[in-house]
Amino acid sequence: MRTFSQEIIEIIREIPAGKVCSYGAIAARAGNPRAARQVVRVLRACSETEGLPWWRVVNARGTISLKPGQGFEEQRDRLRAEGVMFDAAGRIDLAEHRWQPDWMEE
DNA sequence: AACCTGACTTCGG
DNA sequence: TCCGAAGCCAGGT
């Protein structure tokens, strides 16, 4: 069977350039809306080896969770390179860049 | 089978 | 809107 983590990996692979998705939304699509932290584990464990577009994953507020000097700059630059804009507070306009906003409709 | 880990999320003040 | 505390979870040890 496919593990929850494997589902997460596949979902992240589907995020198109210029779009972003939150940890929670990915977890929700993988089957458990409360397993956002598991998405973090997956990224830490295999964003490199699996060649995932890890920079397209941000937190629910539309900001980068990585800390300066710890990957923040790289993620910001990679997103900018795909046309994602940040406001003065460092927030991404989710209304425009969130991937498949219809997922979470209830 | 507990215990630990986190790049999270939600809620209350 | 911002901040801290408290939830929450799957996989590795």
Side-chain angles (χ1 to χ4, degrees):
Chain A
M1 85 173 247
R2 249 167 19 178
T3 69
F4 183 65
S5 291
Q6 293 177 309
E7 285 289 347
I8 290 175
I9 289 176
E10 295 186 22
I11 291 170
I12 293 177
R13 280 224 173 84
E14 295 176 37
I15 307 176
K19 293 293 181 180
V20 298
C21 192
S22 74
Y23 302 87
I26 292 171
R29 189 163 205 207
N32 189 336
R34 305 197 212 131
R37 315 195 71 154
Q38 186 60 17
V39 175
V40 172
R41 288 182 82 277
V42 169
L43 288 176
R44 289 187 61 83
C46 43
S47 58
E48 296 291 315
T49 63
E50 297 290 334
L52 302 177
W54 58 270
W55 58 91
R56 299 183 188 137
V57 184
V58 299
N59 61 42
R61 296 172 342 215
T63 64
I64 290 175
S65 288
L66 289 170
K67 295 168 191 164
Q70 310 251 64
F72 174 89
E73 294 83 355
E74 183 180 358
Q75 182 167 16
R76 181 201 54 199
D77 294 345
R78 282 176 175 277
L79 286 175
R80 279 179 174 164
E82 296 184 343
V84 177
M85 302 298 285
F86 292 81
D87 66 15
R91 287 186 298 254
I92 294 169
D93 180 354
L94 291 180
E96 180 177 1
H97 297 291
R98 187 172 61 147
W99 180 47
Q100 298 189 354
D102 44 299
W103 287 0
M104 309 292 274
E105 298 305 322
E106 53 191 294

